[in-house]
Amino acid sequence: QQWLHDICETNGWEHSQCPIIWRELLDRGGKGQLLGGLNDFLEYAQQYYGISSMMLSEQMLGIAEENLQTHLEIVKEDEEIKSLINPMQIWITSASVPICYHLIPLLANGEVFGMTTEISIHLLDTDQFKEILHGVVMEAEDMAFPLLRSISEHTKIDQAFIDADIIIVLDDVLLNLEVQSHENYIREVSEICQVYAPLIEKNAKSEVKVISSGKTFANLKATMLSTYGPSIRPENIIAIATSWESAAKATLARKLNINTAGVKDVIVWGNISGSNYIDLSHAKLYGYDCAIRGPPNFQRPLLDMIYDSEWIHSEFQSAQSTLSSRVSRCRGMLPAHAIATVLRYWYHGSPSGEIISVGILSEGQFCIPEGIIFSMPVRFQNGNWEVMTELEMNETTQKVLERLAHELVQEKLVALKEINEMHPYEAE
């Protein structure tokens, strides 16, 4: 009786007639035991504790029914609470590509949108890749991500982007200039965007964020989505340049024999998946082992630390083609990480003072012509981004930007010309 009194007092219980079955050793590593049905339970209580129940079977059945009803009410209440939580709707196009396979775990683990934001992922591709999509869906479900409310496959284009909060466009064309001209590939990209843009306007949420990535025509895809989808907020359409940033930082880190994470503020200007310029004039080094040491936030200008200036002007700049080859050969892990990183910055802000390169619709910043998606330095704050127009630029860089902008303007003109020639009445 004293033991019973102490247990009830410790746990805040009130004991009346029902026996309390308590395995003393269970909370100290003892082994639990499956008792079976009611009769087995009563027999166990009698043999182990010498306690018999005076309750009738009807009473116990009534208690069991009451417990069951309480359990069902709790389950129903949990479902109602979940129904009030509206998961973020994420659509991924051309979802059979390896980038998507690597991207799903990054989106679903809570690091991008936060540990309290549930998401639903929609994978869109053609019937040709239906089996691949089905396999990806099953594998993602088996991983049981706590924040992944649902994941589904879609092959019917007219149902695309319904209630989308985020759309990640991964469509690519396989460039082979021996087979067809560059202009024909531009036309293919433009045709894809001409299908997607009206569907985004029709089906997606008004504040939808659209991200263009992939190995080819990242800028052009974003430009044409903005052109054919005029009601989509222009500042919500961006192209990802982070893969180029990462590859350039890795090259510099190997030269300086430091961790790649210590290289910051490398800027990618221009056409992300085409002609671009890697600008090191604002790059900084953190944690560099030199004569002057400081706290973790102590930084040194990168160009001051590379004493071999010839390497910068010859080997590094000429290595752009090598970087391009490396980025284009990525199996998917690097571009997936780049997309996830930019999304995290977009929703939670980028590190204070750090420069991020993103392809955005130009409004004339840095004397770049308006109306083209051009990669330039930005910072993310409060769910938005702003161009870092305060950065100084030398005359050489300005001339390079003029050349890159001209190429992107011509690319856009070719895309519009091809479409107008195919659909002259629609264009009018």
Side-chain angles (χ1 to χ4, degrees):
Q1 289 297 320
Q2 184 60 42
W3 175 84
L4 178 63
H5 175 270
D6 293 342
I7 287 294
C8 289
E9 189 175 67
T10 300
N11 294 280
W13 299 339
E14 292 183 3
H15 178 261
S16 52
Q17 292 183 348
C18 297
I20 294 178
I21 305 302
W22 182 273
R23 283 303 303 268
E24 303 97 294
L25 297 178
L26 190 60
D27 61 339
R28 286 174 278 165
K31 185 178 181 181
Q33 181 176 347
L34 179 63
L35 299 179
L38 176 60
N39 291 335
D40 299 312
F41 173 78
L42 295 176
E43 182 180 344
Y44 179 85
Q46 174 64 39
Q47 291 180 350
Y48 198 87
Y49 294 102
I51 296 176
S52 299
S53 172
M54 303 303 294
M55 296 177 67
L56 300 175
S57 297
E58 289 79 6
Q59 291 176 295
M60 290 194 174
L61 289 172
I63 292 173
E65 179 64 26
E66 183 180 338
N67 289 343
L68 177 60
Q69 289 302 317
T70 301
H71 171 71
L72 293 175
E73 288 174 6
I74 292 172
V75 171
K76 183 180 179 181
E77 184 179 353
D78 288 342
E79 290 178 350
E80 289 177 352
I81 292 174
K82 284 186 176 180
S83 68
L84 297 176
I85 302 173
N86 189 19
M88 183 177 290
Q89 305 292 328
I90 303 173
W91 283 78
I92 305 175
T93 71
S94 195
S96 62
V97 299
I99 299 176
C100 179
Y101 186 80
H102 292 280
L103 179 60
I104 291 172
L106 299 178
L107 297 177
N109 66 12
E111 292 184 9
V112 174
F113 304 108
M115 299 305 296
T116 59
T117 302
E118 291 190 349
I119 64 173
S120 290
I121 297 178
H122 305 267
L123 307 179
L124 177 66
D125 216 318
T126 61
D127 281 322
Q128 178 184 355
F129 301 102
K130 190 172 184 177
E131 288 188 12
I132 295 177
L133 296 185
H134 186 63
V136 173
V137 167
M138 292 184 64
E139 193 167 351
E141 289 175 340
D142 290 344
M143 295 180 74
F145 294 105
L147 297 175
L148 182 59
R149 174 74 71 86
S150 64
I151 181 168
S152 55
E153 57 191 274
H154 304 267
T155 56
K156 298 191 181 302
I157 190 64
D158 58 329
Q159 299 175 2
F161 314 131
I162 293 177
D163 293 329
D165 292 289
I166 296 171
I167 298 171
I168 302 171
V169 180
L170 301 180
D171 297 72
D172 265 325
V173 294
L174 299 176
L175 291 177
N176 186 348
L177 298 180
E178 294 180 359
V179 175
Q180 60 177 329
S181 66
H182 192 261
E183 288 73 16
N184 285 338
Y185 288 117
I186 290 176
R187 183 180 63 194
E188 287 184 29
V189 172
S190 189
E191 288 175 347
I192 292 171
C193 296
Q194 199 174 27
V195 173
Y196 284 166
L199 289 170
I200 295 173
E201 290 183 304
K202 176 184 176 184
N203 296 336
K205 293 179 181 175
S206 60
E207 296 296 313
V208 63
K209 292 177 168 61
V210 183
I211 290 178
S212 172
S213 185
K215 298 178 180 179
T216 58
F217 297 111
N219 291 56
L220 181 63
K221 284 184 290 186
T223 298
M224 301 317 293
L225 287 172
S226 178
T227 301
Y228 295 128
S231 69
I232 307 171
R233 292 185 61 188
E235 60 269 29
N236 281 3
I237 302 177
I238 66 172
I240 301 295
T242 315
S243 295
W244 274 90
E245 275 188 16
S246 300
K249 290 174 181 178
T251 301
L252 294 163
R254 281 191 291 271
K255 174 67 175 178
L256 293 163
N257 195 27
I258 65 170
N259 190 317
T260 303
V263 183
K264 305 289 186 183
D265 298 347
V266 173
I267 303 175
V268 179
W269 296 96
N271 191 353
I272 295 165
S273 50
S275 297
N276 57 49
Y277 173 62
I278 307 297
D279 183 3
L280 305 181
S281 60
H282 301 278
K284 302 177 184 66
L285 298 180
Y286 291 81
Y288 184 57
D289 187 12
C290 61
I292 302 176
R293 307 293 289 274
N297 62 349
F298 178 71
Q299 46 84 12
R300 302 285 292 170
L302 181 141
L303 292 178
D304 289 352
M305 297 296 101
I306 298 181
Y307 301 107
D308 186 0
S309 59
E310 185 63 27
W311 181 85
I312 289 290
H313 294 101
S314 59
E315 292 186 39
F316 180 78
Q317 298 299 341
S318 64
Q320 296 259 17
S321 59
T322 304
L323 286 176
S324 176
S325 178
R326 284 182 57 194
V327 172
S328 63
R329 287 203 307 266
C330 288
R331 299 300 301 165
M333 187 162 54
L334 176 60
H337 178 265
I339 294 169
T341 299
V342 171
L343 275 173
R344 186 174 74 250
Y345 291 164
W346 208 343
Y347 279 85
H348 301 290
S350 53
S352 179
E354 190 169 325
I355 298 173
I356 310 298
S357 301
V358 175
I360 60 171
L361 190 66
S362 170
E363 295 180 349
Q365 303 95 332
F366 305 109
C367 299
I368 297 167
E370 298 182 15
I372 56 172
I373 298 290
F374 196 93
S375 181
M376 61 182 78
V378 306
R379 65 170 67 89
F380 288 91
Q381 277 183 321
N382 303 320
N384 298 303
W385 51 260
E386 61 177 354
V387 180
M388 302 178 71
T389 52
E390 71 275 13
L391 296 179
E392 295 182 0
M393 202 180 322
N394 57 42
E395 186 177 344
T396 302
T397 302
Q398 189 64 59
K399 289 182 179 179
V400 172
L401 299 192
E402 291 174 5
R403 175 177 57 81
L404 297 177
H406 177 74
E407 291 182 5
L408 283 169
V409 169
Q410 293 303 310
E411 196 173 77
K412 178 181 178 180
L413 291 175
V414 169
L416 293 173
K417 177 184 177 183
E418 294 287 345
I419 292 298
N420 290 343
E421 288 178 351
M422 292 182 62
H423 309 287
Y425 299 106
E426 293 181 14
E428 292 175 3

